[in-house]
Amino acid sequence: MDATRTADVAVVGAGIVGLACAVELARAGTSVALVGPRTGDHAGQASRAAGAMLTVFSEVEAAHAPERVAMEVAERVAARAGYEAWLDQLAEITGGPAVSLVPGVWVTASVPADRAELAAIAAAAADAGLPGQLHPPDAVPGLQSESVFEALWLPGEAGVDAAALTAVAAAAAIAHPRITWYDTDAVTLAETGAAMQVRVATGDTVTTDQLVLAAGVQIPALLRRSRRIEMGAPPVLAGRGVSMVLDAAPVAVTAPVRTPNRGFACGAHLVARGDGQIYLGATNRLTTRPDPDRRASADEIATLLHDGIRELNAGLRNAQVRDIRVGYRPFTIDHLPLVGRTAHPNVLLATATYRCGMLLAPRVATLIRTEIDHPGALNSHPYSPSRPMPEPDLAQLVGEHSAALVELVCQPGGQLPAGAPAPLGTTLSTALAHQLADPSVRRLAASAPVPEVLPLLLDIIGRSTR
């Protein structure tokens, strides 16, 4: 039978960000309705497919503008500074042990271009007062690669067992007396006077004073089903990632080991899990139609295994595959999170953390609590949903990423003669610029004007020439 219940705040989304927001608000004395599946396989959820690394600095890229690096790193440093305290809070609520962190992350260099990437990462860490140190490959526990020629140790970062952390955060939400968890999906949103209503799949309705949307890439579909909810917020895009859980490598991995970002994707990385297994992640490709039921493709698996075996640990070729996961990472055109109040006075966003969801979750939760306690407090914050977000020129976007296009077409394992990458990059950029004359291609590019759209455009070119 349908039922209507009330709460001060409803949080839609039960990934790590939604869980963190629900617990933080409840600790502050707020009654919370948490809407999202508690059971099942959580297909497509980014949190359940994550590694995870607390990447304060290693997400920096050489091409990033200094102003962007300074702002993003400052937020990630703030998140990292309070992380152990947050883990202790979760443990206090559950009555169990705190999830432990593995100090430090290794970032490897395998190709000449990686030197610039490691230099940019090292500079960001040094500016934050947490400098890294360069080491030879044989200093990296768990690294077994003929291609790596140096590695950067980042003591200011850390690894965490994402599965264990998500389970503890979920247990804290279940245990907290001010949280009511609806173990189902939100179907529609509606206004009712000065309040909001969330209709869930069981037929129940939650009436709430304020609504926090933390459902990641599911937010656009939820809003499409909910007429007349105007938020004036930027679009939430989806980056599809595939990861694996393997038997432990022949050489024990202690701290996480990763490559720099390249080819429109995050770096390949190995993270030890508490159960003695190894997490290998992760691919990243923009998709305009996130489908939680779509399984990993053979190409995604091949790319992931190639990167892991060739660049990180050759012994993985003999490891048994225990699990393959697909997760959709939410992100925005400017690649910054959306945290704060929207143009609708009752609706807040807590999403688009992209590849830093595990790290930023407690920081986002604190910001959301601040905005609910003090409306307008985040209006000038870099994560504010109301911030200006100019769209990049598509032709310029193509021209600026010729090197990444070459990296993309050479995966997995392709080699080019000396001097060939530059002209090939020019050729690919020219072909893509020409393809933008096609109205359907231009509509696709305009719907997601980010560098991650370029691989999709290459696919279109390939299909059109068959």
Side-chain angles (χ1 to χ4, degrees):
M1 184 173 66
D2 293 0
T4 299
R5 300 181 185 180
T6 61
D8 295 331
V9 179
V11 176
V12 176
I16 193 63
V17 172
L19 292 170
C21 288
V23 171
E24 178 69 17
L25 291 169
R27 288 182 64 249
T30 302
S31 64
V32 179
L34 176 60
V35 181
R38 184 173 70 237
T39 55
D41 62 2
H42 303 280
Q45 188 184 90
S47 300
R48 310 287 174 158
M53 300 175 293
L54 307 186
T55 49
V56 181
F57 310 110
S58 56
E59 283 295 310
V60 170
E61 299 177 20
H64 289 168
E67 297 81 7
R68 171 182 172 179
V69 171
M71 181 272 296
E72 288 194 78
V73 168
E75 288 295 322
R76 295 198 289 254
V77 166
R80 178 68 184 89
Y83 216 83
E84 281 87 354
W86 178 58
L87 296 177
D88 289 341
Q89 290 168 4
L90 296 178
E92 182 180 354
I93 295 170
T94 62
V99 175
S100 58
L101 300 181
V102 178
V105 169
W106 291 97
V107 188
T108 63
S110 299
V111 296
D114 286 346
R115 285 194 173 93
E117 303 301 326
L118 263 61
I121 294 168
D127 289 344
L130 296 166
Q133 303 93 34
L134 284 174
H135 293 268
D138 58 10
V140 183
L143 181 67
Q144 186 181 336
S145 170
E146 294 182 358
S147 63
V148 172
F149 54 83
E150 66 181 3
L152 177 66
W153 171 245
L154 295 170
E157 298 194 338
V160 64
D161 186 330
L165 175 54
T166 304
V168 169
I174 293 169
H176 204 290
R178 294 192 186 92
I179 298 176
T180 302
W181 194 334
Y182 294 81
D183 182 15
T184 187
D185 290 309
V187 177
T188 58
L189 312 174
E191 294 176 293
T192 172
M196 298 295 297
Q197 284 190 335
V198 183
R199 186 82 169 178
V200 302
T202 59
D204 294 338
T205 300
V206 178
T207 301
T208 181
D209 296 330
Q210 302 195 70
L211 176 64
V212 178
L213 298 182
V217 302
Q218 300 303 319
I219 292 174
L222 176 60
L223 293 176
R224 285 194 295 270
R225 297 192 299 268
S226 307
R227 298 180 179 179
R228 300 176 184 173
I229 303 296
E230 297 295 334
M231 301 193 310
V236 176
L237 307 176
R240 175 182 163 92
V242 172
S243 60
M244 293 181 178
V245 177
L246 308 167
D247 280 340
V251 181
V253 175
T254 52
V257 185
R258 65 165 297 175
T259 69
N261 296 338
R262 62 166 79 107
F264 308 104
C266 56
H269 48 279
L270 292 176
V271 182
R273 288 168 37 119
D275 55 10
Q277 296 179 334
I278 290 289
Y279 171 94
L280 171 62
T283 62
N284 186 66
R285 285 290 175 263
L286 170 73
T287 178
T288 57
R289 297 178 181 178
D291 179 0
D293 296 321
R294 181 186 165 205
R295 297 181 180 274
S297 69
D299 179 65
E300 289 169 322
I301 294 170
T303 299
L304 181 60
L305 284 173
H306 169 269
D307 291 348
I309 292 170
R310 179 178 179 272
E311 295 199 63
L312 299 179
N313 192 302
L316 292 176
R317 61 167 51 92
N318 299 315
Q320 294 186 55
V321 178
R322 296 298 182 183
D323 192 15
I324 298 176
R325 304 173 180 181
V326 177
Y328 291 93
R329 306 178 184 97
F331 70 106
T332 57
I333 292 172
D334 65 2
H335 296 84
L336 294 178
L338 296 172
V339 182
R341 201 172 300 275
T342 67
H344 193 295
N346 301 96
V347 182
L348 294 84
L349 286 173
T351 188
T353 51
Y354 205 16
R355 296 189 288 254
C356 294
M358 285 288 168
L359 169 62
L360 291 176
R363 174 69 174 160
V364 169
T366 300
L367 293 173
I368 288 294
R369 186 202 67 202
T370 300
E371 176 62 30
I372 285 179
D373 290 345
H374 307 284
L378 300 184
N379 285 354
S380 59
H381 192 277
Y383 294 170
S384 171
S386 62
R387 67 182 180 267
M389 197 177 297
E391 295 185 1
D393 177 75
L394 295 178
Q396 182 180 358
L397 196 68
V398 170
E400 290 178 347
H401 291 85
S402 59
L405 289 168
V406 173
E407 290 176 353
L408 175 69
V409 299
C410 288
Q411 290 182 347
Q415 299 293 327
L416 292 172
L424 176 59
T426 300
T427 300
L428 292 171
S429 296
T430 301
L432 283 181
H434 177 74
Q435 198 74 16
L436 290 175
D438 185 319
S440 62
V441 173
R442 193 163 187 86
R443 281 194 299 271
L444 170 61
S447 70
V450 290
E452 290 89 343
V453 78
L454 300 183
L456 293 183
L457 301 186
L458 276 182
D459 288 343
I460 292 175
I461 292 176
R463 290 195 298 268
S464 67
T465 56
R466 292 173 186 169

